[in-house]
PDB file of all heavy atoms in Angstrom:
ATOM      1  N   LEU A 607     -73.375 207.569 -87.993  1.00 98.00           N
ATOM      2  CA  LEU A 607     -73.208 206.155 -87.630  1.00 98.00           C
ATOM      3  C   LEU A 607     -74.195 205.895 -86.504  1.00 98.00           C
ATOM      4  O   LEU A 607     -74.165 206.585 -85.481  1.00 98.00           O
ATOM      5  CB  LEU A 607     -71.773 205.880 -87.141  1.00 98.00           C
ATOM      6  CG  LEU A 607     -70.658 205.977 -88.180  1.00 98.00           C
ATOM      7  CD1 LEU A 607     -69.296 205.853 -87.510  1.00 98.00           C
ATOM      8  CD2 LEU A 607     -70.818 204.907 -89.259  1.00 98.00           C
ATOM      9  N   SER A 621     -69.453 208.265 -94.537  1.00 98.00           N
ATOM     10  CA  SER A 621     -68.586 207.873 -93.414  1.00 98.00           C
ATOM     11  C   SER A 621     -67.522 206.923 -93.944  1.00 98.00           C
ATOM     12  O   SER A 621     -67.709 206.264 -94.960  1.00 98.00           O
ATOM     13  CB  SER A 621     -69.399 207.237 -92.277  1.00 98.00           C
ATOM     14  OG  SER A 621     -70.238 206.233 -92.769  1.00 98.00           O
ATOM     15  N   VAL A 622     -66.393 206.872 -93.257  1.00 98.00           N
ATOM     16  CA  VAL A 622     -65.277 206.076 -93.789  1.00 98.00           C
ATOM     17  C   VAL A 622     -65.202 204.729 -93.078  1.00 98.00           C
ATOM     18  O   VAL A 622     -65.617 204.586 -91.928  1.00 98.00           O
ATOM     19  CB  VAL A 622     -63.927 206.836 -93.696  1.00 98.00           C
ATOM     20  CG1 VAL A 622     -63.913 208.005 -94.673  1.00 98.00           C
ATOM     21  CG2 VAL A 622     -63.646 207.303 -92.282  1.00 98.00           C
ATOM     22  N   LEU A 623     -64.666 203.748 -93.783  1.00 98.00           N
ATOM     23  CA  LEU A 623     -64.659 202.381 -93.257  1.00 98.00           C
ATOM     24  C   LEU A 623     -63.939 202.244 -91.921  1.00 98.00           C
ATOM     25  O   LEU A 623     -64.437 201.539 -91.033  1.00 98.00           O
ATOM     26  CB  LEU A 623     -64.073 201.420 -94.301  1.00 98.00           C
ATOM     27  CG  LEU A 623     -64.952 201.209 -95.535  1.00 98.00           C
ATOM     28  CD1 LEU A 623     -64.227 200.348 -96.569  1.00 98.00           C
ATOM     29  CD2 LEU A 623     -66.275 200.564 -95.173  1.00 98.00           C
ATOM     30  N   PRO A 624     -62.769 202.887 -91.715  1.00 97.00           N
ATOM     31  CA  PRO A 624     -62.122 202.722 -90.406  1.00 97.00           C
ATOM     32  C   PRO A 624     -63.019 203.211 -89.262  1.00 97.00           C
ATOM     33  O   PRO A 624     -63.071 202.575 -88.201  1.00 97.00           O
ATOM     34  CB  PRO A 624     -60.846 203.566 -90.532  1.00 97.00           C
ATOM     35  CG  PRO A 624     -60.554 203.566 -92.006  1.00 97.00           C
ATOM     36  CD  PRO A 624     -61.902 203.605 -92.674  1.00 97.00           C
ATOM     37  N   ALA A 625     -63.759 204.311 -89.478  1.00 98.00           N
ATOM     38  CA  ALA A 625     -64.650 204.828 -88.425  1.00 98.00           C
ATOM     39  C   ALA A 625     -65.809 203.864 -88.202  1.00 98.00           C
ATOM     40  O   ALA A 625     -66.209 203.605 -87.055  1.00 98.00           O
ATOM     41  CB  ALA A 625     -65.171 206.218 -88.815  1.00 98.00           C
ATOM     42  N   LEU A 626     -66.351 203.318 -89.281  1.00 98.00           N
ATOM     43  CA  LEU A 626     -67.463 202.362 -89.154  1.00 98.00           C
ATOM     44  C   LEU A 626     -67.008 201.110 -88.412  1.00 98.00           C
ATOM     45  O   LEU A 626     -67.687 200.611 -87.506  1.00 98.00           O
ATOM     46  CB  LEU A 626     -67.981 202.000 -90.559  1.00 98.00           C
ATOM     47  CG  LEU A 626     -68.972 200.830 -90.615  1.00 98.00           C
ATOM     48  CD1 LEU A 626     -70.254 201.167 -89.856  1.00 98.00           C
ATOM     49  CD2 LEU A 626     -69.291 200.467 -92.078  1.00 98.00           C
ATOM     50  N   SER A 627     -65.832 200.621 -88.803  1.00 98.00           N
ATOM     51  CA  SER A 627     -65.293 199.417 -88.195  1.00 98.00           C
ATOM     52  C   SER A 627     -65.109 199.621 -86.685  1.00 98.00           C
ATOM     53  O   SER A 627     -65.486 198.774 -85.867  1.00 98.00           O
ATOM     54  CB  SER A 627     -63.955 199.131 -88.895  1.00 98.00           C
ATOM     55  OG  SER A 627     -63.471 197.895 -88.554  1.00 98.00           O
ATOM     56  N   ARG A 628     -64.569 200.780 -86.311  1.00 98.00           N
ATOM     57  CA  ARG A 628     -64.337 201.100 -84.890  1.00 98.00           C
ATOM     58  C   ARG A 628     -65.667 201.238 -84.145  1.00 98.00           C
ATOM     59  O   ARG A 628     -65.830 200.755 -83.024  1.00 98.00           O
ATOM     60  CB  ARG A 628     -63.510 202.402 -84.808  1.00 98.00           C
ATOM     61  CG  ARG A 628     -63.178 202.877 -83.416  1.00 98.00           C
ATOM     62  CD  ARG A 628     -62.417 201.848 -82.589  1.00 98.00           C
ATOM     63  NE  ARG A 628     -61.092 201.505 -83.138  1.00 98.00           N
ATOM     64  CZ  ARG A 628     -60.338 200.493 -82.705  1.00 98.00           C
ATOM     65  NH1 ARG A 628     -60.776 199.717 -81.719  1.00 98.00           N
ATOM     66  NH2 ARG A 628     -59.171 200.236 -83.253  1.00 98.00           N
ATOM     67  N   PHE A 629     -66.650 201.882 -84.799  1.00 98.00           N
ATOM     68  CA  PHE A 629     -67.970 202.063 -84.187  1.00 98.00           C
ATOM     69  C   PHE A 629     -68.589 200.694 -83.875  1.00 98.00           C
ATOM     70  O   PHE A 629     -69.145 200.469 -82.797  1.00 98.00           O
ATOM     71  CB  PHE A 629     -68.867 202.860 -85.146  1.00 98.00           C
ATOM     72  CG  PHE A 629     -70.268 203.074 -84.662  1.00 98.00           C
ATOM     73  CD1 PHE A 629     -70.564 204.117 -83.775  1.00 98.00           C
ATOM     74  CD2 PHE A 629     -71.305 202.253 -85.080  1.00 98.00           C
ATOM     75  CE1 PHE A 629     -71.864 204.317 -83.317  1.00 98.00           C
ATOM     76  CE2 PHE A 629     -72.607 202.446 -84.625  1.00 98.00           C
ATOM     77  CZ  PHE A 629     -72.883 203.475 -83.748  1.00 98.00           C
ATOM     78  N   CYS A 630     -68.475 199.770 -84.820  1.00 98.00           N
ATOM     79  CA  CYS A 630     -69.041 198.433 -84.624  1.00 98.00           C
ATOM     80  C   CYS A 630     -68.329 197.728 -83.462  1.00 98.00           C
ATOM     81  O   CYS A 630     -68.970 197.102 -82.614  1.00 98.00           O
ATOM     82  CB  CYS A 630     -68.920 197.603 -85.906  1.00 98.00           C
ATOM     83  SG  CYS A 630     -69.924 198.257 -87.236  1.00 98.00           S
ATOM     84  N   LEU A 638     -67.195 193.569 -89.550  1.00 98.00           N
ATOM     85  CA  LEU A 638     -66.498 194.545 -90.384  1.00 98.00           C
ATOM     86  C   LEU A 638     -65.066 194.811 -89.918  1.00 98.00           C
ATOM     87  O   LEU A 638     -64.470 195.827 -90.292  1.00 98.00           O
ATOM     88  CB  LEU A 638     -67.308 195.848 -90.434  1.00 98.00           C
ATOM     89  CG  LEU A 638     -68.700 195.684 -91.074  1.00 98.00           C
ATOM     90  CD1 LEU A 638     -69.488 196.987 -90.996  1.00 98.00           C
ATOM     91  CD2 LEU A 638     -68.581 195.239 -92.535  1.00 98.00           C
ATOM     92  N   ALA A 641     -62.425 195.738 -92.460  1.00 97.00           N
ATOM     93  CA  ALA A 641     -62.490 197.045 -93.126  1.00 97.00           C
ATOM     94  C   ALA A 641     -61.721 198.136 -92.387  1.00 97.00           C
ATOM     95  O   ALA A 641     -61.624 199.267 -92.871  1.00 97.00           O
ATOM     96  CB  ALA A 641     -63.949 197.459 -93.291  1.00 97.00           C
ATOM     97  N   ALA A 642     -61.137 197.794 -91.227  1.00 96.00           N
ATOM     98  CA  ALA A 642     -60.507 198.819 -90.395  1.00 96.00           C
ATOM     99  C   ALA A 642     -59.385 199.571 -91.116  1.00 96.00           C
ATOM    100  O   ALA A 642     -59.114 200.725 -90.819  1.00 96.00           O
ATOM    101  CB  ALA A 642     -59.965 198.182 -89.113  1.00 96.00           C
ATOM    102  N   GLY A 643     -58.734 198.919 -92.087  1.00 95.00           N
ATOM    103  CA  GLY A 643     -57.602 199.577 -92.749  1.00 95.00           C
ATOM    104  C   GLY A 643     -57.896 199.975 -94.191  1.00 95.00           C
ATOM    105  O   GLY A 643     -56.968 200.290 -94.947  1.00 95.00           O
ATOM    106  N   ILE A 644     -59.165 199.957 -94.584  1.00 96.00           N
ATOM    107  CA  ILE A 644     -59.495 200.335 -95.976  1.00 96.00           C
ATOM    108  C   ILE A 644     -59.943 201.790 -95.975  1.00 96.00           C
ATOM    109  O   ILE A 644     -60.912 202.142 -95.307  1.00 96.00           O
ATOM    110  CB  ILE A 644     -60.604 199.413 -96.549  1.00 96.00           C
ATOM    111  CG1 ILE A 644     -60.180 197.941 -96.453  1.00 96.00           C
ATOM    112  CG2 ILE A 644     -60.914 199.796 -97.993  1.00 96.00           C
ATOM    113  CD1 ILE A 644     -61.208 196.942 -96.988  1.00 96.00           C
ATOM    114  N   PRO A 645     -59.229 202.646 -96.735  1.00 96.00           N
ATOM    115  CA  PRO A 645     -59.455 204.083 -96.557  1.00 96.00           C
ATOM    116  C   PRO A 645     -60.627 204.671 -97.349  1.00 96.00           C
ATOM    117  O   PRO A 645     -60.684 205.871 -97.557  1.00 96.00           O
ATOM    118  CB  PRO A 645     -58.125 204.687 -97.049  1.00 96.00           C
ATOM    119  CG  PRO A 645     -57.634 203.722 -98.065  1.00 96.00           C
ATOM    120  CD  PRO A 645     -58.091 202.362 -97.627  1.00 96.00           C
ATOM    121  N   GLY A 646     -61.578 203.829 -97.787  1.00 97.00           N
ATOM    122  CA  GLY A 646     -62.673 204.344 -98.617  1.00 97.00           C
ATOM    123  C   GLY A 646     -63.897 204.745 -97.808  1.00 97.00           C
ATOM    124  O   GLY A 646     -63.962 204.539 -96.593  1.00 97.00           O
ATOM    125  N   SER A 647     -64.887 205.310 -98.514  1.00 98.00           N
ATOM    126  CA  SER A 647     -66.166 205.645 -97.896  1.00 98.00           C
ATOM    127  C   SER A 647     -67.062 204.405 -97.908  1.00 98.00           C
ATOM    128  O   SER A 647     -66.830 203.455 -98.674  1.00 98.00           O
ATOM    129  CB  SER A 647     -66.849 206.769 -98.679  1.00 98.00           C
ATOM    130  OG  SER A 647     -67.268 206.293 -99.951  1.00 98.00           O
ATOM    131  N   VAL A 648     -68.105 204.441 -97.104  1.00 98.00           N
ATOM    132  CA  VAL A 648     -69.037 203.316 -97.036  1.00 98.00           C
ATOM    133  C   VAL A 648     -69.760 203.146 -98.381  1.00 98.00           C
ATOM    134  O   VAL A 648     -69.960 202.024 -98.855  1.00 98.00           O
ATOM    135  CB  VAL A 648     -70.023 203.538 -95.864  1.00 98.00           C
ATOM    136  CG1 VAL A 648     -71.168 202.549 -95.911  1.00 98.00           C
ATOM    137  CG2 VAL A 648     -69.277 203.441 -94.541  1.00 98.00           C
ATOM    138  N   MET A 724     -59.131 193.141 -85.192  1.00 97.00           N
ATOM    139  CA  MET A 724     -58.816 194.348 -85.981  1.00 97.00           C
ATOM    140  C   MET A 724     -57.311 194.625 -85.939  1.00 97.00           C
ATOM    141  O   MET A 724     -56.698 194.948 -86.959  1.00 97.00           O
ATOM    142  CB  MET A 724     -59.588 195.556 -85.439  1.00 97.00           C
ATOM    143  CG  MET A 724     -61.038 195.563 -85.860  1.00 97.00           C
ATOM    144  SD  MET A 724     -62.033 196.740 -84.903  1.00 97.00           S
ATOM    145  CE  MET A 724     -61.458 198.300 -85.508  1.00 97.00           C
ATOM    146  N   GLN A 728     -54.626 194.774 -88.976  1.00 94.00           N
ATOM    147  CA  GLN A 728     -53.829 195.979 -89.191  1.00 94.00           C
ATOM    148  C   GLN A 728     -52.336 195.640 -89.244  1.00 94.00           C
ATOM    149  O   GLN A 728     -51.587 196.197 -90.045  1.00 94.00           O
ATOM    150  CB  GLN A 728     -54.097 197.016 -88.101  1.00 94.00           C
ATOM    151  CG  GLN A 728     -55.476 197.606 -88.144  1.00 94.00           C
ATOM    152  CD  GLN A 728     -55.667 198.491 -89.371  1.00 94.00           C
ATOM    153  OE1 GLN A 728     -55.763 197.995 -90.490  1.00 94.00           O
ATOM    154  NE2 GLN A 728     -55.707 199.791 -89.174  1.00 94.00           N
TER     155      GLN A 728
END
Side-chain angles (χ1 to χ4, degrees):
L607 292 173
S621 50
V622 291
L623 291 175
L626 170 64
S627 190
R628 180 57 63 191
F629 178 83
C630 294
L638 297 176
I644 304 180
S647 69
V648 169
M724 283 166 71
Q728 292 291 72

